[in-house]
Amino acid sequence: LSNPYYPKVLGELKVTGYSDYMHPYGEKHIIGIGKETIEDESGDFAWYQGVKISLFDISNATNPQEIDKYIIGDRGTESPVLDDHKAFLFDRSKNLLVIPVSVAERPSGVPPWTYGTLVFQGAYVFNITLNGFVFRGRITHSPSYVERSLYIDNVLYTISGKKIKMNSLETLEEINEIELP
């Protein structure tokens, strides 16, 4: 986009799924949050599946690469990050990534167009480096949806419409919880 009147495609990357939200991770990498997909047998379209977190290396614009991906749940899994970037918590200095999710799962052998059953509501916590994602654990808020997360000092706060939970940022062990009216 150096000349906005003549934009050029410098490179492209074919991956499964798509990203609804992309967040910079330094100058040469991007975090993508979206959905995984499975192509229909006809090849005409794809079925949305779980939430997909991707790490892309864009240091070579003519040859971008997907370094790592992590899929959460099956068809029916959702995250507010897909519509609201403020639901996304990332801190590069702490290698911290927190994604609020409601997770749906379906039994193996069930067709990909079938929605899963809701099995979890809360937040997934990851360490993130230039090598990819390391799942650290999850914090439940069932039956409420986590809308925001933040940290102060060494405490991770997750906030839903029903409560605020405080967990150790180091171990994810619960410290306290406050019910909201």
Side-chain angles (χ1 to χ4, degrees):
L1 296 175
S2 58
N3 182 341
Y5 297 102
Y6 301 101
K8 294 179 187 175
V9 175
L10 299 178
E12 57 185 58
L13 175 64
K14 181 145 176 85
V15 296
T16 59
Y18 62 90
S19 296
D20 282 301
Y21 176 65
M22 300 189 98
H23 191 89
Y25 182 40
E27 292 184 18
K28 299 179 180 184
H29 296 84
I30 294 177
I31 302 166
I33 310 291
K35 291 286 190 131
E36 178 65 298
T37 59
I38 295 176
E39 191 172 329
D40 182 65
E41 293 172 1
S42 70
D44 293 336
F45 64 94
W47 298 101
Y48 298 130
Q49 298 300 306
V51 169
K52 178 182 179 181
I53 306 168
S54 295
L55 180 61
F56 299 101
D57 180 344
I58 56 166
S59 58
N60 179 351
T62 61
N63 188 27
Q65 299 292 317
E66 184 177 47
I67 297 170
D68 194 19
K69 69 179 180 178
Y70 190 96
I71 311 299
I72 302 171
D74 294 317
R75 186 168 171 83
T77 298
E78 294 294 335
S79 174
V81 175
L82 303 177
D83 299 314
D84 180 4
H85 71 277
K86 292 179 181 177
F88 178 81
L89 174 59
F90 166 68
D91 186 318
R92 184 173 184 166
S93 67
K94 292 190 177 297
N95 296 326
L96 176 67
L97 178 65
V98 181
I99 306 290
V101 290
S102 58
V103 179
E105 293 178 350
R106 64 176 185 270
S108 62
V110 174
W113 59 82
T114 306
Y115 282 88
T117 302
L118 186 64
V119 296
F120 174 82
Q121 290 171 288
Y124 272 51
V125 181
F126 297 90
N127 281 348
I128 178 172
T129 68
L130 292 178
N131 294 321
F133 307 99
V134 176
F135 176 69
R136 292 189 47 213
R138 57 190 198 173
I139 298 168
T140 184
H141 271 250
S142 292
S144 261
Y145 296 98
V146 170
E147 298 168 18
R148 296 285 188 270
S149 56
L150 62 109
Y151 71 87
I152 300 173
D153 294 327
N154 199 32
V155 178
L156 176 62
Y157 296 84
T158 50
I159 304 163
S160 67
K162 301 275 186 191
K163 63 179 110 175
I164 300 172
K165 287 185 97 169
M166 293 143 275
N167 293 72
S168 164
L169 195 54
E170 216 171 278
T171 65
L172 299 184
E173 184 177 322
E174 186 172 323
I175 297 169
N176 202 357
E177 133 180 346
I178 299 170
E179 296 288 330
L180 300 174

